[in-house]
mmCIF file of all heavy atoms in Angstrom:
data_model
loop_
_atom_site.group_PDB
_atom_site.id
_atom_site.type_symbol
_atom_site.label_atom_id
_atom_site.label_comp_id
_atom_site.label_asym_id
_atom_site.label_seq_id
_atom_site.Cartn_x
_atom_site.Cartn_y
_atom_site.Cartn_z
ATOM 1 N N ALA A 1335 4.325 1.325 14.148
ATOM 2 C CA ALA A 1335 4.808 2.704 14.064
ATOM 3 C C ALA A 1335 3.659 3.704 14.088
ATOM 4 O O ALA A 1335 2.613 3.500 13.467
ATOM 5 C CB ALA A 1335 5.630 2.902 12.795
ATOM 6 N N SER A 1336 3.893 4.804 14.801
ATOM 7 C CA SER A 1336 2.967 5.931 14.758
ATOM 8 C C SER A 1336 3.178 6.703 13.458
ATOM 9 O O SER A 1336 4.161 6.505 12.736
ATOM 10 C CB SER A 1336 3.226 6.865 15.947
ATOM 11 O OG SER A 1336 4.532 7.423 15.843
ATOM 12 N N SER A 1337 2.273 7.626 13.164
ATOM 13 C CA SER A 1337 2.434 8.467 11.972
ATOM 14 C C SER A 1337 3.707 9.300 12.065
ATOM 15 O O SER A 1337 4.417 9.505 11.067
ATOM 16 C CB SER A 1337 1.219 9.389 11.811
ATOM 17 O OG SER A 1337 0.053 8.643 11.574
ATOM 18 N N GLU A 1338 4.018 9.776 13.274
ATOM 19 C CA GLU A 1338 5.220 10.575 13.464
ATOM 20 C C GLU A 1338 6.475 9.751 13.184
ATOM 21 O O GLU A 1338 7.423 10.236 12.556
ATOM 22 C CB GLU A 1338 5.281 11.126 14.892
ATOM 23 C CG GLU A 1338 4.195 12.119 15.235
ATOM 24 C CD GLU A 1338 2.929 11.471 15.777
ATOM 25 O OE1 GLU A 1338 2.791 10.227 15.675
ATOM 26 O OE2 GLU A 1338 2.079 12.191 16.307
ATOM 27 N N MET A 1339 6.463 8.498 13.654
ATOM 28 C CA MET A 1339 7.613 7.628 13.432
ATOM 29 C C MET A 1339 7.768 7.305 11.950
ATOM 30 O O MET A 1339 8.878 7.372 11.397
ATOM 31 C CB MET A 1339 7.477 6.331 14.235
ATOM 32 C CG MET A 1339 8.678 5.400 14.112
ATOM 33 S SD MET A 1339 8.443 3.815 14.971
ATOM 34 C CE MET A 1339 8.467 4.369 16.685
ATOM 35 N N LEU A 1340 6.658 6.973 11.297
ATOM 36 C CA LEU A 1340 6.711 6.665 9.865
ATOM 37 C C LEU A 1340 7.287 7.837 9.066
ATOM 38 O O LEU A 1340 8.196 7.653 8.242
ATOM 39 C CB LEU A 1340 5.313 6.328 9.348
ATOM 40 C CG LEU A 1340 4.805 4.913 9.560
ATOM 41 C CD1 LEU A 1340 3.334 4.835 9.180
ATOM 42 C CD2 LEU A 1340 5.612 3.900 8.753
ATOM 43 N N LEU A 1341 6.764 9.015 9.322
ATOM 44 C CA LEU A 1341 7.204 10.171 8.556
ATOM 45 C C LEU A 1341 8.661 10.504 8.858
ATOM 46 O O LEU A 1341 9.454 10.772 7.946
ATOM 47 C CB LEU A 1341 6.306 11.375 8.849
ATOM 48 C CG LEU A 1341 6.570 12.634 8.022
ATOM 49 C CD1 LEU A 1341 6.495 12.332 6.526
ATOM 50 C CD2 LEU A 1341 5.566 13.723 8.388
ATOM 51 N N GLY A 1342 9.032 10.476 10.143
ATOM 52 C CA GLY A 1342 10.395 10.838 10.520
ATOM 53 C C GLY A 1342 11.442 9.885 9.993
ATOM 54 O O GLY A 1342 12.449 10.298 9.405
ATOM 55 N N VAL A 1343 11.222 8.580 10.177
ATOM 56 C CA VAL A 1343 12.205 7.589 9.746
ATOM 57 C C VAL A 1343 12.284 7.521 8.226
ATOM 58 O O VAL A 1343 13.371 7.455 7.639
ATOM 59 C CB VAL A 1343 11.875 6.201 10.332
ATOM 60 C CG1 VAL A 1343 12.837 5.143 9.786
ATOM 61 C CG2 VAL A 1343 11.942 6.244 11.858
ATOM 62 N N GLU A 1344 11.131 7.557 7.578
ATOM 63 C CA GLU A 1344 11.142 7.479 6.122
ATOM 64 C C GLU A 1344 11.705 8.760 5.496
ATOM 65 O O GLU A 1344 12.350 8.702 4.435
ATOM 66 C CB GLU A 1344 9.738 7.176 5.603
ATOM 67 C CG GLU A 1344 9.308 5.755 5.959
ATOM 68 C CD GLU A 1344 7.946 5.365 5.407
ATOM 69 O OE1 GLU A 1344 7.231 6.252 4.901
ATOM 70 O OE2 GLU A 1344 7.613 4.167 5.480
ATOM 71 N N LEU A 1345 11.518 9.897 6.143
ATOM 72 C CA LEU A 1345 12.154 11.125 5.667
ATOM 73 C C LEU A 1345 13.670 11.022 5.800
ATOM 74 O O LEU A 1345 14.415 11.447 4.899
ATOM 75 C CB LEU A 1345 11.638 12.338 6.437
ATOM 76 C CG LEU A 1345 12.300 13.683 6.089
ATOM 77 C CD1 LEU A 1345 12.149 14.006 4.602
ATOM 78 C CD2 LEU A 1345 11.711 14.797 6.959
ATOM 79 N N HIS A 1346 14.134 10.458 6.910
ATOM 80 C CA HIS A 1346 15.578 10.242 7.088
ATOM 81 C C HIS A 1346 16.134 9.423 5.924
ATOM 82 O O HIS A 1346 17.177 9.772 5.346
ATOM 83 C CB HIS A 1346 15.837 9.527 8.410
ATOM 84 C CG HIS A 1346 17.289 9.331 8.705
ATOM 85 N ND1 HIS A 1346 17.969 10.090 9.633
ATOM 86 C CD2 HIS A 1346 18.206 8.463 8.195
ATOM 87 C CE1 HIS A 1346 19.236 9.705 9.677
ATOM 88 N NE2 HIS A 1346 19.401 8.702 8.817
ATOM 89 N N ARG A 1347 15.448 8.369 5.576
ATOM 90 C CA ARG A 1347 15.908 7.506 4.480
ATOM 91 C C ARG A 1347 15.839 8.226 3.146
ATOM 92 O O ARG A 1347 16.723 8.054 2.298
ATOM 93 C CB ARG A 1347 15.078 6.222 4.461
ATOM 94 C CG ARG A 1347 15.315 5.338 5.690
ATOM 95 C CD ARG A 1347 14.449 4.097 5.674
ATOM 96 N NE ARG A 1347 14.787 3.214 6.794
ATOM 97 C CZ ARG A 1347 14.205 2.034 7.018
ATOM 98 N NH1 ARG A 1347 13.259 1.596 6.191
ATOM 99 N NH2 ARG A 1347 14.562 1.308 8.057
ATOM 100 N N PHE A 1348 14.801 9.027 2.960
ATOM 101 C CA PHE A 1348 14.697 9.790 1.718
ATOM 102 C C PHE A 1348 15.856 10.768 1.587
ATOM 103 O O PHE A 1348 16.470 10.896 0.505
ATOM 104 C CB PHE A 1348 13.371 10.550 1.661
ATOM 105 C CG PHE A 1348 13.268 11.483 0.488
ATOM 106 C CD1 PHE A 1348 12.997 11.000 -0.783
ATOM 107 C CD2 PHE A 1348 13.481 12.844 0.651
ATOM 108 C CE1 PHE A 1348 12.926 11.853 -1.875
ATOM 109 C CE2 PHE A 1348 13.413 13.708 -0.439
ATOM 110 C CZ PHE A 1348 13.144 13.207 -1.704
ATOM 111 N N ILE A 1349 16.176 11.474 2.662
ATOM 112 C CA ILE A 1349 17.290 12.428 2.637
ATOM 113 C C ILE A 1349 18.581 11.728 2.248
ATOM 114 O O ILE A 1349 19.341 12.203 1.396
ATOM 115 C CB ILE A 1349 17.434 13.125 4.004
ATOM 116 C CG1 ILE A 1349 16.243 14.049 4.267
ATOM 117 C CG2 ILE A 1349 18.752 13.906 4.085
ATOM 118 C CD1 ILE A 1349 16.138 14.542 5.696
ATOM 119 N N ASP A 1350 18.843 10.593 2.878
ATOM 120 C CA ASP A 1350 20.083 9.861 2.599
ATOM 121 C C ASP A 1350 20.137 9.378 1.150
ATOM 122 O O ASP A 1350 21.160 9.521 0.474
ATOM 123 C CB ASP A 1350 20.226 8.676 3.550
ATOM 124 C CG ASP A 1350 20.594 9.103 4.964
ATOM 125 O OD1 ASP A 1350 20.903 10.296 5.170
ATOM 126 O OD2 ASP A 1350 20.584 8.241 5.863
ATOM 127 N N SER A 1351 19.042 8.801 0.666
ATOM 128 C CA SER A 1351 19.054 8.254 -0.693
ATOM 129 C C SER A 1351 19.103 9.365 -1.736
ATOM 130 O O SER A 1351 19.830 9.266 -2.740
ATOM 131 C CB SER A 1351 17.835 7.353 -0.922
ATOM 132 O OG SER A 1351 16.630 8.077 -0.809
ATOM 133 N N PHE A 1352 18.334 10.435 -1.525
ATOM 134 C CA PHE A 1352 18.342 11.557 -2.469
ATOM 135 C C PHE A 1352 19.737 12.162 -2.558
ATOM 136 O O PHE A 1352 20.231 12.477 -3.652
ATOM 137 C CB PHE A 1352 17.330 12.617 -2.034
ATOM 138 C CG PHE A 1352 17.183 13.772 -2.990
ATOM 139 C CD1 PHE A 1352 16.268 13.718 -4.026
ATOM 140 C CD2 PHE A 1352 17.962 14.921 -2.845
ATOM 141 C CE1 PHE A 1352 16.127 14.786 -4.912
ATOM 142 C CE2 PHE A 1352 17.838 15.984 -3.730
ATOM 143 C CZ PHE A 1352 16.920 15.918 -4.768
ATOM 144 N N THR A 1353 20.385 12.305 -1.410
ATOM 145 C CA THR A 1353 21.735 12.874 -1.376
ATOM 146 C C THR A 1353 22.725 11.972 -2.096
ATOM 147 O O THR A 1353 23.493 12.425 -2.956
ATOM 148 C CB THR A 1353 22.188 13.097 0.079
ATOM 149 O OG1 THR A 1353 21.272 13.992 0.732
ATOM 150 C CG2 THR A 1353 23.592 13.683 0.137
ATOM 151 N N ASP A 1354 22.726 10.695 -1.749
ATOM 152 C CA ASP A 1354 23.710 9.766 -2.317
ATOM 153 C C ASP A 1354 23.556 9.599 -3.824
ATOM 154 O O ASP A 1354 24.541 9.398 -4.537
ATOM 155 C CB ASP A 1354 23.595 8.400 -1.640
ATOM 156 C CG ASP A 1354 24.074 8.421 -0.201
ATOM 157 O OD1 ASP A 1354 24.796 9.366 0.178
ATOM 158 O OD2 ASP A 1354 23.720 7.488 0.551
ATOM 159 N N GLU A 1355 22.308 9.664 -4.305
ATOM 160 C CA GLU A 1355 22.043 9.377 -5.712
ATOM 161 C C GLU A 1355 22.097 10.611 -6.611
ATOM 162 O O GLU A 1355 22.055 10.488 -7.833
ATOM 163 C CB GLU A 1355 20.661 8.717 -5.840
ATOM 164 C CG GLU A 1355 20.593 7.340 -5.184
ATOM 165 C CD GLU A 1355 19.171 6.835 -5.041
ATOM 166 O OE1 GLU A 1355 18.256 7.475 -5.624
ATOM 167 O OE2 GLU A 1355 18.967 5.822 -4.362
ATOM 168 N N HIS A 1356 22.220 11.792 -6.015
ATOM 169 C CA HIS A 1356 22.191 13.011 -6.822
ATOM 170 C C HIS A 1356 23.518 13.210 -7.552
ATOM 171 O O HIS A 1356 24.594 12.951 -7.005
ATOM 172 C CB HIS A 1356 21.904 14.228 -5.935
ATOM 173 C CG HIS A 1356 21.382 15.401 -6.697
ATOM 174 N ND1 HIS A 1356 22.200 16.248 -7.429
ATOM 175 C CD2 HIS A 1356 20.117 15.867 -6.865
ATOM 176 C CE1 HIS A 1356 21.468 17.179 -7.988
ATOM 177 N NE2 HIS A 1356 20.204 16.974 -7.668
ATOM 178 N N GLU A 1357 23.430 13.685 -8.779
ATOM 179 C CA GLU A 1357 24.631 13.858 -9.597
ATOM 180 C C GLU A 1357 25.605 14.862 -8.991
ATOM 181 O O GLU A 1357 26.827 14.711 -9.125
ATOM 182 C CB GLU A 1357 24.249 14.294 -11.015
ATOM 183 C CG GLU A 1357 23.625 13.185 -11.840
ATOM 184 C CD GLU A 1357 24.543 11.959 -11.955
ATOM 185 O OE1 GLU A 1357 25.750 12.137 -12.214
ATOM 186 O OE2 GLU A 1357 24.037 10.842 -11.763
ATOM 187 N N LEU A 1358 25.104 15.903 -8.330
ATOM 188 C CA LEU A 1358 25.998 16.865 -7.695
ATOM 189 C C LEU A 1358 26.825 16.208 -6.595
ATOM 190 O O LEU A 1358 28.011 16.515 -6.424
ATOM 191 C CB LEU A 1358 25.192 18.039 -7.128
ATOM 192 C CG LEU A 1358 24.619 19.018 -8.144
ATOM 193 C CD1 LEU A 1358 23.674 19.999 -7.461
ATOM 194 C CD2 LEU A 1358 25.736 19.768 -8.872
ATOM 195 N N THR A 1359 26.194 15.305 -5.843
ATOM 196 C CA THR A 1359 26.920 14.597 -4.783
ATOM 197 C C THR A 1359 27.932 13.628 -5.378
ATOM 198 O O THR A 1359 29.079 13.547 -4.908
ATOM 199 C CB THR A 1359 25.928 13.836 -3.885
ATOM 200 O OG1 THR A 1359 24.993 14.764 -3.320
ATOM 201 C CG2 THR A 1359 26.661 13.114 -2.762
ATOM 202 N N LYS A 1360 27.527 12.902 -6.398
ATOM 203 C CA LYS A 1360 28.455 11.962 -7.031
ATOM 204 C C LYS A 1360 29.679 12.693 -7.575
ATOM 205 O O LYS A 1360 30.819 12.216 -7.446
ATOM 206 C CB LYS A 1360 27.742 11.203 -8.144
ATOM 207 C CG LYS A 1360 26.674 10.234 -7.650
ATOM 208 C CD LYS A 1360 25.984 9.543 -8.831
ATOM 209 C CE LYS A 1360 24.915 8.573 -8.361
ATOM 210 N NZ LYS A 1360 24.219 7.918 -9.494
ATOM 211 N N LYS A 1361 29.462 13.840 -8.182
ATOM 212 C CA LYS A 1361 30.570 14.624 -8.733
ATOM 213 C C LYS A 1361 31.490 15.110 -7.618
ATOM 214 O O LYS A 1361 32.730 15.004 -7.730
ATOM 215 C CB LYS A 1361 30.024 15.812 -9.514
ATOM 216 C CG LYS A 1361 31.103 16.703 -10.119
ATOM 217 C CD LYS A 1361 30.472 17.877 -10.866
ATOM 218 C CE LYS A 1361 31.547 18.818 -11.402
ATOM 219 N NZ LYS A 1361 30.944 19.990 -12.120
ATOM 220 N N ALA A 1362 30.919 15.639 -6.533
ATOM 221 C CA ALA A 1362 31.733 16.139 -5.427
ATOM 222 C C ALA A 1362 32.532 15.020 -4.775
ATOM 223 O O ALA A 1362 33.721 15.187 -4.467
ATOM 224 C CB ALA A 1362 30.845 16.830 -4.396
ATOM 225 N N LYS A 1363 31.897 13.870 -4.564
ATOM 226 C CA LYS A 1363 32.614 12.738 -3.969
ATOM 227 C C LYS A 1363 33.772 12.290 -4.848
ATOM 228 O O LYS A 1363 34.863 11.968 -4.344
ATOM 229 C CB LYS A 1363 31.656 11.571 -3.717
ATOM 230 C CG LYS A 1363 30.718 11.786 -2.541
ATOM 231 C CD LYS A 1363 29.999 10.518 -2.137
ATOM 232 C CE LYS A 1363 29.025 10.056 -3.171
ATOM 233 N NZ LYS A 1363 28.199 8.910 -2.677
#
């Protein structure tokens, strides 16, 4: 992986995990 790929893909995963695990999201779901 290039630096761009590492940052982009890992940011995608961070967004998904942060969203799913946040209490505001759990409450809304």
